[in-house]
């Protein structure tokens, strides 16, 4: 059976929604358990397909992985005896690249299939390999397999030519048990980098400066078990903030770290939404048609590229001409064609999208396809404003990263249903690890 979302728009969202644990932190922390000699209990795990997949990969490699309750995962990675990850699942998720750093850190060797993930154009790993080489490893890529070996890992200065979340995470994983001190310069500063460093420190690592562009890692001999709670998901929170704004709603978004949402909050306020910030929640309220704005996506603390498609939906029904420049990825506007099928007026020239807002006039429901995770979220947001019915295909992309999205939006008054239609068997990704 194929699964689709059917959304009927024009309802104002109201009420409260709880944000789940951060996907991008979870998919780094789970492979990081490979470095531990003990048992790791990880709390606030989001129930999403990317997490299921990365946990399943660890399990296939020999780890003992179990759910203690709905949001707590226990991992004992001591059963992983070989530094090889070449099962098919590896190709389906970008975060499987973190197996490289974790296996290298533990075994001084790693053999991992080239990772998958959202297709935003070329997704190079040269900076990951550069970091491993700086620590003394030899890397080769042959027939889609990345093969890395080191006699020993020696702490060193790792200078990133470009700010990369993935390469920073891999450099942390590979250096945490290296001999001596490593300094990562021009490091990424995303909240999930800090979360991973805190997790590693809770296992006994010695990492300072995560969240700045210079991270210092003093190698330790051993990492033990830990109990650690993952931060809330910045992008899920941002998506519900836009859901409230786009439906002229009034939603309290709970279990968030407002500091992580500052760039999103600033843009919403700039276009006329009312955002009230509490210590662990934000309330987004909009009553009038919102205004145009200019956005350029950047590494943290700039405006996150992973919120770019959702804002394209919002600006499509705002007043005036908005401009979004994609500053991180080479090709992240493939979803525009789908939004335009719903009556949006967006034209793209290279990395710049020009959006002619409808000034509050409804978009029209249409059959559309989720090109990738955040693009899929953008279609749901647009569908919430539409006259008529929108059917969204390829929803496994959305379920990679949004926990219980049907339940959460429905409880706010959104009209969204998951339907099953005859077709190819879709992959069974239940959290039965
Ligand atoms: C992570 C996120 C993704 C987000 C992105 C940017 C996860 C699992 N995914 O992806 O959702 O969109 O950060 O915030 O956390 N680059 C190189 N060489 C490299 C690595 C990256 O040139 O070796 C370039 C990329 O092509 C891109 C930019 O650096 O233009 C940023 O990529 P990066 O931060 O590495 O993204 P990911 O870690 O893959």
């Amino acid at each position: 059976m194929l699964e689709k979302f059917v959304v009927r728009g024009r309802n104002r969202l109201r009420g409260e929604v709880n944000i789940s644990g951060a996907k991008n932190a979870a998919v780094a922390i789970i492979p990081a358990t490979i470095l531990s000699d003990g048992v790791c209990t990880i709390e606030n795990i989001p129930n999403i397909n990317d997490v299921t997949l990365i946990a399943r990969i660890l399990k296939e490699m020999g780890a003992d992985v179990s759910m203690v309750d709905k949001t707590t995962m226990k991992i004992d990675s001591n059963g992983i005896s070989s530094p090889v990850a070449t099962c098919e699942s590896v190709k389906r998720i970008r975060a499987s690249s973190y197996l490289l750093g974790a296996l290298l850190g533990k075994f001084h060797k790693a053999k991992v299939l080239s990772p998958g993930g959202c297709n935003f154009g070329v997704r190079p790993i040269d900076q990951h390999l550069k970091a491993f080489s700086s620590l003394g490893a030899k890397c080769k890529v042959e027939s889609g397999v990345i093969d890395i070996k080191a006699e020993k890992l020696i702490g060193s200065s790792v200078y990133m030519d470009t700010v990369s979340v993935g390469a920073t995470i891999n450099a942390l994983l590979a250096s945490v048990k290296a001999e001596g001190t490593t300094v990562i310069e021009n490091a990424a500063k995303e909240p999930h980098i800090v979360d991973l460093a805190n997790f590693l420190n809770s296992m006994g690592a010695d990492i300072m400066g995560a969240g700045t562009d210079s991270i210092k890692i003093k190698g330790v001999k051993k990492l033990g078990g830990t109990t650690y709670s993952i931060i809330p998901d910045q992008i899920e929170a941002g998506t519900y903030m836009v859901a409230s704004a786009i439906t002229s709603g009034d939603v309290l978004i709970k279990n968030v770290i407002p500091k992580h949402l500052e760039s999103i909050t600033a843009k919403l306020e700039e276009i006329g939404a009312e955002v009230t910030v509490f210590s662990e929640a934000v309330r987004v309220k909009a009553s009038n048609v919102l205004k145009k704005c200019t956005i350029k996506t950047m590494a943290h603390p700039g405006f996150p590229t992973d919120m770019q498609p959702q804002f394209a939906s919002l600006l499509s029904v705002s007043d005036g001409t908005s401009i979004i420049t994609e500053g991180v990825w080479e090709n992240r506007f493939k979803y525009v064609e789908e939004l335009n099928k719903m009556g949006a007026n967006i034209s793209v020239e290279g990395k710049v999208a020009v959006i002619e807002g409808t000034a509050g006039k409804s978009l029209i429901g249409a059959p559309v396809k989720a090109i990738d995770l955040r693009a899929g979220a953008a279609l749901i947001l647009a569908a919430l404003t539409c006259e008529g019915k929108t059917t969204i295909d390829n929803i496994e992309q959305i379920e990679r990263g949004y926990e219980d999205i049907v339940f959460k939006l429905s409880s706010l008054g959104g009209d969204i249903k998951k339907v099953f239609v005859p077709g190819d068997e879709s992959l069974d990704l239940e959290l039965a690890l």
Side-chain angles (χ1 to χ4, degrees), residues 24 94 123-128 162 164-166 305-306 328-329:
N24 288 347
R94 183 72 188 166
R123 291 188 78 164
I125 56 160
D126 56 304
Q127 297 305 307
H128 303 233
T162 186
S164 160
V165 170
T305 171
D306 288 353
V328 177
W329 295 110

Side-chain angles (χ1 to χ4, degrees), residues 40-106:
C40 299
T41 302
I42 308 162
E43 298 166 349
N44 206 27
I45 286 269
N47 184 355
I48 51 174
N49 289 346
D50 270 14
V51 162
T52 308
L53 254 181
I54 194 78
R56 183 181 289 173
I57 292 169
L58 251 69
K59 204 175 180 192
E60 283 178 24
M61 291 169 70
D64 185 1
V65 185
S66 59
M67 293 305 290
V68 176
D69 58 39
K70 193 170 175 262
T71 57
T72 308
M73 187 182 277
K74 202 162 145 189
I75 309 180
D76 180 351
S77 287
N78 285 298
I80 299 180
S81 54
S82 156
V84 178
T86 47
C87 59
E88 279 303 296
S89 310
V90 171
K91 281 199 284 195
R92 296 182 41 207
I93 175 170
R94 183 72 188 166
S96 51
S97 67
Y98 301 149
L99 295 167
L100 288 168
L103 291 170
L104 183 65
K106 171 111 177 181

Side-chain angles (χ1 to χ4, degrees), residues 315-359:
L315 296 171
S316 291
V317 290
S318 297
D319 188 14
T321 306
S322 296
I323 295 178
I324 299 183
T325 305
E326 173 54 45
V328 177
W329 295 110
E330 177 190 65
N331 187 357
R332 201 173 185 168
F333 286 122
K334 281 188 256 172
Y335 65 88
V336 158
E337 204 178 311
E338 303 301 304
L339 277 185
N340 284 350
K341 285 181 193 163
M342 301 163 89
N345 182 355
I346 310 176
S347 52
V348 177
E349 185 78 43
K351 293 185 172 185
V352 180
V354 178
I355 305 173
E356 301 293 346
T358 62

Side-chain angles (χ1 to χ4, degrees), residues 5-8 380 384 405-406 409-410 414-418:
F5 286 148
V6 175
V7 185
R8 287 186 172 78
I380 294 181
L384 290 170
I405 192 161
V406 170
L409 283 173
S410 303
D415 185 347
I416 172 168
K417 291 184 180 62
K418 183 160 151 178

